[in-house]
Structure formats: structure tokens, C-alpha cells
Amino acid sequence: MDHEDEEIEIPNYFICPISLDIMKDPVIAVSGITYDRESIDKWLEKVSSCPVTKQPLPSDSDLTPNHTLRRLIQHWCVENATLGVVRIPTPRVPPGKPNVVEEIKNLKKFGDEDEEIEIPNYFICPISLDIMKDPVIAVSGITYDRESIDKWLEKVSSCPVTKQPLPSDSDLTPNHTLRRLIQHWCVENATLGVVRIPTPRVPPGKPNVVEEIKNLKKFGDEALGREDTLKKLELLAIDGETNRRLMHEGGVHRSLILFIVKCTREEEEEGQRRIKEQLDESLRLLHLIGVPLNDARTILMENDRILGSMSLVLNQQNFLNKAYTIVLLRNLTENTSSHIVERLNEDILKGIIGFLEEVVSSFNRTSPNVSDTAQSSNPRVRNKVHSKLDYNLVIKQAVTAALMILLETSSWSRNKHILIDLGAVSQLIELEISSTGDKRATELVLGVLSRLCCCTNGRAEILAHGGGLAIVTKRLLGVSIAADDRAFSILSTVSKLSPEKAVVEEMVCVGTVEKLCTVLRVDCGLSLKEKAKEILRDHFDELKKFPCIDVRLLTKLLSSSHEDLLAELLKP
């Protein structure tokens, strides 16, 4: 090259990863990486693995000529000829390695190799570096060939060019204009052997969302009752965010809720198998599309039968349906009238606590209820549903939703007593003992317990459960500031208002006293230290009776100021 003073920017994808020079004969290894033929041949004489991916690569591996990239390099060389860039020649087939199939394909597609065809850059897919047959625009604004971007998104959830997040169910909009330009270019170059790309058909099995919504509006429950309607809507909901938005605009969620009400009434009366399947499908679909915030505020106020239907589902056997229903209930009650939340009927609260009990029992096994339910209906879309609905995530969402509902409803005295009578205290303690470390769930459990222990029966339940004070003590200083505040609230209330002898004995046995002393000795909030001192002072006389308690140390901790304790802590 001439003109050494003038820098030439060489595109990165023209560079061989081995020689770090422009590729003269680019070939694709079976690992999917493109190298210069001479460099990869020499490499494979010594090493039997891919230089980039490290996967096995025998010396006799197929090396497929990357004609598209080679032509792009040649075109770039011609454009930069004035800067002294020399055009790379068209490589000949390596001696002794003719590939008749490849040569016939190239002859049909590109004509005589001596007569080069200039392919416009914007016809090339950024992933495959080949002419696009079905160009589609991703939400990032970049156009790709549909087959290439579909395969990419199965493994990577970001745009290959912009690197911005790109979920696997992102909408891919057909680029009809570019496809027509490519087809026109193919026709113009037909004499050189270029074959016109066909017009792609609509992918099979993907019904039109607008058409389905029209049918739903026209036929209502009759449409949802047809065997294939719910399946079609589920496929559409899985297919992308745009479809789910259109369903919201078309009121599909409202139709589904009313259909669920109808199904629960008919199932109770007739117990038909088909009605049960429709209920399963409706709840799953409603979970997929959700309920828009504006509608969620008013739906329960408009129809008082909805809560009754939810109550029936929550007290049936289907574990996943309970999970879907609890998430839906939280969605509908989150921003609605407080009067509705206050007056949730006892059967709904019983169903929620029963669900938490099932969750606890499934923590130490591979939740058979979940897998059985997942396989129970809709086999035609089962695999696709699994790709969209992570059932472990559904259960986690339902547990959080259940705890938030219990936290809100326990604000009222009537509900506190109902929850305690239904065994909520014991189930919440068991849930926290079985916890897998979800910080938010711990905060919510402690929040509900702190409200329930305001009642005499609630405090008695916490003390009666062998792990009650123990798990509350364990969570101190180990989760979050909010968890610490709620744990101290429980300990303060239980220690003040319960029979002293019993509560002090329990606090000593499970390590609560030791943990409170630790709070006084570590660097934490002043308010926590004051709460710890208050509990220890209140029971100092009783604590002195236990031989395991270091009275001198306890006296020192209680009499020392915060500054003194901090200074002692900072001593070398």
C-alpha cells in the first residue's frame, strides 16, 4: 500500500483473528468463525481446536468459503484503490479439494466468477453476512434476515449491532420495502445467474390478533368457548408485546375475567371436564397478558361476582391456577378502594394461606403439583408456553402477591383475628424457615407477623411455634433495615405483652439475648441499639436467673453509652 501517512480504517470483520491481517480467502470453520484459509490451515497443522471458541476442530474439518465476505472485502479494496489498496484476487479452489456441489451452487447463484456482482451493503444481513431472504426490523431499528435473528435470539437477548436488550419474544416487523428492492435487484441481475428471492409467507400457526379480537367482540363468551380460540390467543400473547398491547386495547382481559366467572359457576354446577380446561387456559392467558392499571382500579367495583369466582379457584386443587389467581387478585386490589381490601371474604384468605402451605411443602422437592398442572392441558402450545412462562417465577410472583395481600388486609382488627384463626402465623413462620433467601419475601413475612402479634392469640402462636422467635432472631442484622425494624417490632411486642417467664426462657434458648447483645456491640443504627437495650432492661431481673447469662457483661452493655461502645469497638 502507498500513502503511508494517510491512515485507512479497515473494518474489523475483514481481519483474520489469527494473522490480524485482511483476509484474502475467508473461510468459515465448523465453529462458525471466519478465518483466512492459509492462516487456519497452518493453525490446524499444530492445534486441533478453534482459536476463538476453543471447541474441537480436527485438521480435516470442512472450511466453507465465505463468498459474501470475500466480495465485500474486494469491493472495499476497489473503493480504496486511490489510497494504494490492492484488490485481493478471487481465490481458486484448493488443489485436490474440489467441491462439485459448492461450485454448481455458486455457478447458479452468481454466474461466472470472473464477472463480479456488486451486492449493495444494505442487502446483507449483519449476522449471516448473506443476502436477506426475509428482512425484518427489530425494535432496535436494525434490519436482519428473519431466520438469522430468530436463531440469534434463542441464545442471546440483545441486538447484535446495538447491544441493547432484545427479548426473544420481541416484535420483528417485516421490511417489505427492502425485500422488494432485493427482489428487483435479483431480477435485474438474473442474466448473471442471480435467483430471485421468493416472497415469504406469514409464519404458520400465527393467527391475526386483530381478527381474533374482532371475533371476541362479536361473539363474546361463545367465541371463548370454542376449542381453538383460547389456544390462538395464547399463541398471540406469547408472540410479542405488541399483541399483548392490542389485546389490552381490545378489552380481551375484561372478556377473560367475565369468562372465568362463567366457568367457575358452570364447573361448580356441572363439573364438566371441558369447562375445567377452559378455566385453566383462561387463567394462564390472563396471567400472560395482565390487566392494565386503569382497568384494574375499577373491575372489582363493577362486578361483585369476581371475588366469589376467585374464592372458588383458590379453594380448588389446581396449584398453578391458585398462583395465577393470587397474582391477579393483587393486581386488582393494589389500587382499588380500601373498603374492598378490608372486606375480602374469609374463603379468599383461607385459600391464600392454603397456597402458602403448599409452597412450603414443595420447597424441598421438585414441586410435582406444578409440573403436573403444567402438563394437564393445551398440549399444542405447551412447549411455547414454557418458553414464555417460567413456572418457578410464577410461583415466586404469587408468593410475593399473597404476602402483600396479607400485609394489607392485616391492617384491620377483624382480619387479624381471621388470619390467626386460619393458622396464618404458623404458615408464615414455616415459609420463612423454608425461605431460599428472598429479601422481599422476608420483609413481607416479618411485616405481617408484626401486625398479627398485636393480638394476644398472635403472640401466643409465635411463642408456641418452636421456630417463631428463633427465625425472627436469625433475620436480625442479616437482611435489610426494613427487616430489622419489623423483627424488633415483633420481639418488643412479644417480650412486653407475653408471660415473662415463658418469653425470657424462649429468648435465652433460641439465642435472642445473645443477638441483642451483639446489636449493642456492632456498628449499627442507634435506634436498633436503643430497642435492644429496652428489651434487655425490661427482663434484666429474670435474665440474671439463667447461669448461661454473663451478668457482668450484660450490665456493662446496658450501662455504657453508644459512644463508649463504639470507641471500644474501634480499639485495635
Side-chain angles (χ1 to χ4, degrees), residues 223-263:
L224 287 173
R226 293 172 188 164
E227 187 173 351
D228 62 341
T229 301
L230 288 168
K231 294 180 176 66
K232 287 180 180 178
L233 288 171
E234 190 166 12
L235 282 171
L236 288 163
I238 292 168
D239 199 42
E241 182 61 36
T242 299
N243 286 351
R244 294 192 285 275
R245 178 177 52 78
L246 288 171
M247 288 183 188
H248 287 164
E249 293 173 0
V252 172
H253 55 284
R254 284 182 170 273
S255 298
L256 283 171
I257 290 173
L258 294 176
F259 188 66
I260 288 167
V261 172
K262 178 175 180 287
C263 284

Side-chain angles (χ1 to χ4, degrees), residues 134-137 146 172-177 179 200:
D134 185 7
V136 291
I137 307 170
R146 184 187 293 277
L172 299 173
T173 307
N175 192 333
H176 296 298
T177 302
R179 190 249 307 154

Side-chain angles (χ1 to χ4, degrees), residues 271-339:
Q272 295 180 11
R273 182 177 176 182
R274 176 58 194 152
I275 294 174
K276 182 183 179 303
E277 289 177 358
Q278 289 174 337
L279 178 62
D280 296 349
E281 292 166 358
S282 300
L283 285 166
R284 184 169 60 244
L285 175 56
L286 190 56
H287 184 84
L288 272 170
I289 67 175
V291 180
L293 181 60
N294 289 339
D295 281 350
R297 290 193 181 103
T298 59
I299 284 178
L300 290 179
M301 291 186 282
E302 294 171 359
N303 191 331
D304 57 3
R305 293 181 300 169
I306 296 173
L307 287 176
S309 294
M310 289 183 168
S311 175
L312 288 172
V313 176
L314 287 173
N315 287 282
Q316 291 176 348
Q317 296 298 314
N318 192 307
F319 184 59
L320 270 178
N321 282 358
K322 293 178 187 180
Y324 296 141
T325 302
I326 288 171
V327 174
L328 175 62
L329 180 61
R330 172 59 186 165
N331 195 355
L332 297 180
T333 58
E334 187 173 5
N335 295 289
T336 194
S337 166
S338 60
H339 176 71

Side-chain angles (χ1 to χ4, degrees), residues 356-374:
L356 293 179
E357 184 178 2
E358 289 186 63
V359 170
V360 170
S361 67
S362 68
F363 262 129
N364 297 320
R365 67 177 192 271
T366 310
S367 189
N369 284 337
V370 177
S371 58
D372 290 347
T373 305

Side-chain angles (χ1 to χ4, degrees), residues 315-464:
N315 287 282
Q316 291 176 348
Q317 296 298 314
N318 192 307
F319 184 59
L320 270 178
N321 282 358
K322 293 178 187 180
Y324 296 141
T325 302
I326 288 171
V327 174
L328 175 62
L329 180 61
R330 172 59 186 165
N331 195 355
L332 297 180
T333 58
E334 187 173 5
N335 295 289
T336 194
S337 166
S338 60
H339 176 71
I340 291 177
V341 180
E342 179 188 359
R343 305 307 297 178
L344 284 179
N345 67 61
E346 185 173 332
D347 284 339
I348 284 182
L349 298 177
K350 179 182 177 183
I352 291 173
I353 293 168
F355 170 77
L356 293 179
E357 184 178 2
E358 289 186 63
V359 170
V360 170
S361 67
S362 68
F363 262 129
N364 297 320
R365 67 177 192 271
T366 310
S367 189
N369 284 337
V370 177
S371 58
D372 290 347
T373 305
Q375 300 290 335
S376 64
S377 64
N378 210 356
R380 285 162 57 183
V381 297
R382 187 184 301 146
N383 293 333
K384 292 203 72 177
V385 174
H386 273 291
S387 68
K388 178 65 187 172
L389 282 178
D390 178 343
Y391 286 105
N392 289 328
L393 179 60
V394 171
I395 302 307
K396 183 178 179 181
Q397 290 171 343
V399 169
T400 302
L403 293 172
M404 293 181 79
I405 293 168
L406 294 181
L407 185 64
E408 287 187 11
T409 54
S410 61
S411 299
W412 291 275
S413 177
R414 161 193 172 269
N415 293 338
K416 285 188 180 79
H417 290 287
I418 291 174
L419 291 173
I420 293 168
D421 291 342
L422 290 171
V425 173
S426 176
Q427 288 307 323
L428 290 170
I429 293 170
E430 291 293 336
L431 179 67
E432 189 54 33
I433 290 173
S434 306
S435 171
T436 54
D438 186 337
K439 183 178 81 171
R440 180 59 177 148
T442 293
E443 291 173 349
L444 290 169
V445 167
L446 295 176
V448 181
L449 287 175
S450 69
R451 289 183 174 175
L452 297 184
C453 73
C454 293
C455 301
T456 304
N457 290 347
R459 294 190 295 274
E461 289 282 337
I462 291 176
L463 273 178

